[in-house]
């Protein structure tokens, strides 16, 4: 089955949670099935936004869907 | 005298009613509390001291009665006898096996190893492979006590078979015993007759049934996996309300959007929904071969959205090795040599087997292609990085996978016997599908397994790559990444 590609950017290395499941780490490319997902990061809870609701489709390995988290002030 | 006969008639009638009323299949227990981190699920199983995630090995054991059980046993012997070195630790390749997905005859070998580990090599031949299992089942069928039990609508031939497997093969073990063992995680596959879909005996499915798998007998799962249509009857499970605090698997959420109806994720969610629909109060299971005669679909699911996918994305898996032990047979094509069209029985047999054989072929092809696509993607990424470095060094580089995986799909089947001196594939391809083979047939099946494995170029590449890595040598030129799929 065709796969889609996702990258969660964050200035630090942190766990990436997909629908609450530990799926990989920030700043690396993840390979997932297409469809809607909730993307967030693992603890500590010092990032913003709290989550990204995405519909993962129409990506390519060299053009993954990128979601950006920043350090919360 | 008349009074005496009357007494016996009443006594016999009462006994019949009593026994018939009492005979009921074992009902799976309800689960009251949901715990996503316990129960028989991959992530809850201890890997064990000799098992690494970097070398991740899954086996698939096909259906095919004793023929399949013996071939898979031969492969287990070969893996036991293959010594490898991973991260400086010498071990048997068998110790690196992480999961086994099995169907029908293959489920006997898988479950026995899952429960009893190296005892498989001590007594499985005598207890199962060389035994006339069909004869033992038939013997029970001719026991008058069982006639009374079989008169109950809630007790059938499959329950009798499961009792036999439970007492004579699996030592009354439940899934709690499997849970207490280290990897491999054993996925016993059956077919849900109501939904026409694959069902596996893992806690994820039992969570949806609101039921506890740990208390369920392994023998009943194996019986369901090998309940050959017509000869045996379905194994039934009760579908309870889900336990308190139940949450479906991570991939289920929002998976049932109409827009995605053509995706595998949607299909998997629809499959799970069958059990979450409590109008479906009972689940009736038969031979896993009806929905997947290779055991490949459980591994494909794990690769798409299960424990293999999460480990790939986490960068834990470096070498992914999938060994398909396919005991399929193929009679010589006599149909195409005759002018007269085939008769009723030939057509009936073909109707039952053609679709399944093609589906099995497609399942293995899908595994190969999914992993080869990953290899191509990795190559594209590397090529892009190299081109940018050469022609545009200031440009930002693409973001890469955490680890490039090195996949292997090793298929063992009898056709490959023609590459082994002194072996005739026809001997194996003409063996019957039954639970009764001669000792000689069993011995030949066990012996051919390791030879077939050694013949596989993908397997040879795996051993060479592991040895080179451990000795600090460059990867062998003859085995680039991808050669484990298409050499």
């Amino acid at each position: 089955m065709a796969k889609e590609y996702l990258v969660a950017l964050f200035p630090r290395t942190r766990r990436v949670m997909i629908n609450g499941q530990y799926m990989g780490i920030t700043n690396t490319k993840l390979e997932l099935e297409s469809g809607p997902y909730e993307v967030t990061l693992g603890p500590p809870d010092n990032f913003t936004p709290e989550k990204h609701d995405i519909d993962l489709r129409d990506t390519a390995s060299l053009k993954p869907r990128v979601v950006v988290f920043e350090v919360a002030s | 005298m008349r009074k005496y006969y009357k007494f016996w008639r009443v006594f016999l009638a009462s006994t019949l009613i009593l026994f018939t009323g009492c005979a009921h299949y074992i009902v799976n227990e309800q689960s009251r509390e949901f715990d996503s981190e316990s129960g028989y699920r991959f992530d809850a199983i201890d890997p064990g001291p000799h098992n690494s995630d970097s070398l991740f090995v899954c086996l698939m054991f096909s259906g095919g009665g004793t023929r399949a059980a013996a071939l898979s046993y031969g492969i287990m012997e070969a893996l036991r006898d293959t010594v490898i070195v991973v991260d400086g630790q010498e071990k048997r390749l068998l110790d690196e096996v992480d999961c086994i997905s099995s169907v029908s005859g293959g489920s006997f070998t898988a479950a026995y190893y899952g429960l009893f580990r190296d005892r498989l090599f001590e007594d499985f031949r005598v207890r199962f492979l060389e035994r006339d299992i069909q004869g033992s089942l038939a013997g029970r069928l001719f026991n008058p006590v069982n006639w009374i039990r079989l008169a109950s609508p809630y007790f059938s031939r499959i329950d009798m078979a499961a009792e036999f497997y439970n007492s004579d093969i699996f030592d009354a073990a439940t899934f709690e015993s499997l849970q207490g063992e280290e990897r491999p995680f054993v996925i016993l596959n059956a077919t849900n007759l109501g939904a026409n879909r694959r069902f596996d005996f893992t806690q994820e499915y039992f969570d949806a049934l609101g039921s506890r798998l740990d208390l369920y007998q392994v023998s009943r799962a194996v019986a369901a996996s090998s309940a050959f249509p017509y000869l045996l009857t379905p194994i039934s499970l009760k579908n309870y309300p889900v336990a308190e605090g139940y949450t479906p698997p991570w991939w289920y959420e929002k998976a049932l959007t109409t827009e995605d109806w053509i995706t595998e994720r949607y299909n998997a969610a629809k499959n799970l929904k069958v059990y979450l629909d409590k109008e479906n109060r009972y689940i009736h299971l038969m031979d896993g071969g009806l929905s997947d005669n290779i055991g490949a679909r459980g591994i494909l699911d794990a690769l798409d959205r299960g424990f293999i996918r999460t480990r790939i994305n986490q960068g834990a898996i470096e070498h992914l090795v999938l060994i398909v032990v396919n005991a399929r047979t193929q009679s010589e094509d006599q149909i195409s040599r005759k002018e007269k069209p085939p008769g009723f029985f030939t057509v009936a047999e073909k109707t039952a087997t053609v679709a399944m054989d093609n589906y099995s072929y497609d399942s293995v092809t899908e595994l190969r292609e999914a992993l080869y696509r990953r290899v191509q993607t990795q190559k594209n990424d590397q090529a892009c990085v190299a081109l940018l470095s050469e022609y545009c060094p200031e440009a930002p580089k693409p973001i890469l996978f955490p680890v490039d995986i090195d996949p292997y799909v090793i298929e063992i089947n009898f056709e490959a016997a023609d590459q082994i001196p002194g072996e005739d594939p026809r001997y194996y391809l003409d063996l019957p599908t039954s639970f009764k083979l001669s000792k000689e047939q069993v011995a030949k099946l066990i012996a051919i397994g390791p030879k077939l494995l050694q013949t596989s170029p993908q397997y040879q590449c795996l051993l060479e790559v592991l040895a080179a890595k451990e000795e600090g040598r460059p990867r062998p030129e003859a085995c680039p990444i991808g050669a484990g799929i298409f050499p």
Side-chain angles (χ1 to χ4, degrees):
Chain A
M1 201 60 201
K3 290 285 183 290
E4 302 291 341
Y5 303 93
L6 171 72
V7 174
L9 292 179
F10 189 63
R12 295 165 197 169
T13 299
R14 189 67 64 78
R15 286 184 169 206
V16 178
M17 314 297 286
I18 305 288
N19 290 355
Q21 164 74 38
Y22 163 42
M23 186 56 68
I25 55 168
T26 49
N27 313 316
T28 65
K29 188 163 53 189
L30 308 180
E31 202 178 32
L32 293 164
E33 293 177 290
S34 64
Y37 294 104
E38 180 193 280
V39 187
T40 185
L41 302 184
D45 192 11
N46 64 343
F47 54 87
T48 185
E50 192 184 317
K51 60 172 182 158
H52 287 276
D53 285 307
I54 61 162
D55 192 4
L56 190 64
R57 60 186 80 241
D58 302 326
T59 66
S61 174
L62 294 173
K63 203 179 172 194
R65 174 72 185 265
V66 176
V67 294
V68 181
F69 291 93
E70 286 169 355
V71 179
S73 51
Chain B
M1 196 67 175
R2 191 180 293 168
K3 215 171 174 179
Y4 178 76
Y5 280 125
K6 195 176 171 187
F7 166 78
W8 275 106
R9 276 209 301 271
V10 171
F11 177 76
L12 281 172
S14 312
T15 309
L16 186 70
I17 291 163
L18 188 71
F19 272 92
T20 304
C22 285
H24 199 295
Y25 59 82
I26 293 174
V27 180
N28 51 310
E29 302 257 352
Q30 184 169 7
S31 169
R32 305 282 174 191
E33 221 172 296
F34 173 72
D35 181 358
S36 66
E37 288 173 7
S38 70
Y40 196 60
R41 58 186 100 234
F42 188 88
D43 289 330
I45 303 288
D46 184 3
H50 304 296
N51 189 297
S52 69
D53 267 354
S54 64
L55 173 58
F56 201 91
V57 183
C58 284
L59 313 178
M60 284 151 266
F61 293 166
S62 79
T66 301
R67 186 184 71 244
L71 181 66
S72 51
Y73 174 88
I75 297 299
M76 295 298 274
E77 279 195 340
L79 298 177
R80 177 199 62 186
D81 297 338
T82 304
V83 177
I84 55 166
V85 183
V86 177
D87 301 331
Q89 194 185 5
E90 192 175 280
K91 59 180 87 171
R92 311 177 305 175
L93 186 47
L94 185 61
D95 297 326
E96 279 285 2
V97 175
D98 296 279
C99 69
I100 307 176
S101 175
S102 64
V103 180
S104 201
S107 288
F108 284 88
T109 313
Y112 204 86
Y113 181 70
L115 284 168
F116 307 124
R117 304 297 149 137
D118 278 15
R119 206 180 113 191
L120 176 86
F121 307 114
E122 292 161 20
D123 60 9
F124 187 63
R125 279 179 87 139
V126 180
R127 291 188 89 187
F128 181 77
L129 295 176
E130 294 172 349
R131 200 161 163 187
D132 179 2
I133 299 293
Q134 281 178 203
S136 300
L137 292 177
R140 292 192 164 214
L141 201 60
F142 289 117
N143 181 339
V145 172
N146 285 328
W147 297 349
I148 299 169
R149 299 171 79 206
L150 288 168
S152 163
Y154 304 110
F155 188 88
S156 191
R157 297 190 297 283
I158 193 67
D159 300 299
M160 225 171 57
E163 281 181 354
F164 169 64
Y165 302 155
N166 192 48
S167 61
D168 283 46
I169 300 168
F170 295 111
D171 296 349
T174 61
F175 276 83
E176 193 176 17
S177 304
L178 269 180
Q179 217 168 294
E181 292 291 342
E182 293 156 353
R183 290 184 197 169
F185 180 63
V186 178
I187 305 168
L188 301 171
N189 294 279
T191 301
N192 178 353
L193 289 183
N196 303 330
R197 284 166 186 271
R198 188 179 74 82
F199 177 94
D200 66 46
F201 283 84
T202 58
Q203 189 56 52
E204 188 170 285
Y205 273 80
F206 269 61
D207 284 340
L209 290 176
S211 182
R212 290 181 61 173
L213 180 59
D214 59 328
L215 303 177
Y216 201 68
Q217 289 174 353
V218 173
S219 59
R220 291 189 68 80
V222 175
S225 182
S226 58
F228 195 74
Y230 307 113
L231 289 178
L232 291 164
T233 46
I235 282 272
S236 301
L237 295 173
K238 193 169 178 184
N239 190 7
Y240 298 98
V242 292
E244 203 180 319
Y246 171 74
T247 50
W250 66 272
W251 49 265
Y252 183 80
E253 200 180 323
K254 298 177 186 167
L256 284 167
T257 54
T258 322
E259 195 182 346
D260 290 318
W261 71 273
I262 51 167
T263 65
E264 282 295 325
R265 184 182 168 205
Y266 178 92
N267 196 36
K270 213 172 157 202
N271 186 25
L272 193 67
K273 199 165 180 267
V274 168
Y275 309 104
L276 296 174
D277 177 357
K278 300 304 169 181
E279 290 286 308
N280 299 325
R281 290 184 296 150
Y282 294 93
I283 308 301
H284 305 286
L285 304 169
M286 287 213 84
D287 199 312
L290 298 175
S291 54
D292 166 20
N293 204 29
I294 298 276
R297 292 281 151 180
I299 302 300
L300 272 165
D301 284 350
L303 184 61
D304 279 340
R305 69 196 74 81
F307 56 85
I308 300 179
R309 174 56 45 198
T310 51
R311 277 161 184 77
I312 287 175
N313 280 334
Q314 289 162 8
I317 297 178
E318 191 180 343
H319 308 284
L320 176 61
V321 183
L322 307 179
I323 302 179
V324 183
V325 185
N326 189 351
R328 73 165 184 267
T329 53
Q330 175 79 58
S331 311
E332 272 190 290
D333 178 10
Q334 298 296 334
I335 296 173
S336 308
R337 295 173 192 176
K338 292 175 186 166
E339 186 184 2
K340 193 178 154 207
F344 176 82
F345 289 108
T346 307
V347 172
E349 191 236 321
K350 290 288 173 189
T351 309
T353 57
V354 168
M356 185 43 62
D357 286 350
N358 284 310
Y359 187 63
S360 297
Y361 174 81
D362 282 354
S363 299
V364 180
T365 302
E366 197 174 328
L367 269 179
R368 279 200 192 97
E369 288 182 348
L371 289 171
Y372 200 68
R373 273 197 299 274
R374 167 74 181 218
V375 169
Q376 287 175 314
T377 305
Q378 291 171 176
K379 284 181 180 171
N380 288 341
D381 287 0
Q382 286 161 7
C384 179
V385 171
L387 285 169
L388 282 175
S389 300
E390 189 176 350
Y391 297 108
C392 199
E394 302 302 316
K397 303 281 185 295
I399 295 171
L400 302 175
F401 292 119
V403 171
D404 279 354
I405 58 168
D406 174 28
Y408 298 81
V409 179
I410 300 163
E411 185 178 352
I412 305 301
N413 60 47
F414 296 131
E415 272 107 333
D418 67 358
Q419 295 168 39
I420 302 169
E423 290 287 356
D424 176 11
R426 277 261 60 87
Y427 174 84
Y428 304 96
L429 291 167
D430 288 336
L431 286 174
T433 297
S434 78
F435 282 125
K436 181 194 173 189
L437 291 180
S438 71
K439 279 189 178 180
E440 189 205 340
Q441 288 169 324
V442 169
K444 285 197 73 141
L445 281 161
I446 292 171
I448 193 78
K451 292 180 195 167
L452 290 169
L453 191 61
Q454 290 297 335
T455 306
S456 160
Q458 292 93 334
Y459 182 67
Q460 287 306 325
C461 261
L462 170 70
L463 297 182
E464 284 172 32
V465 166
L466 291 178
K469 187 181 165 195
E470 210 48 45
E471 291 160 15
R473 289 186 281 116
R475 191 180 173 102
E477 269 182 34
C479 298
I481 289 186
I485 300 172
F486 299 115

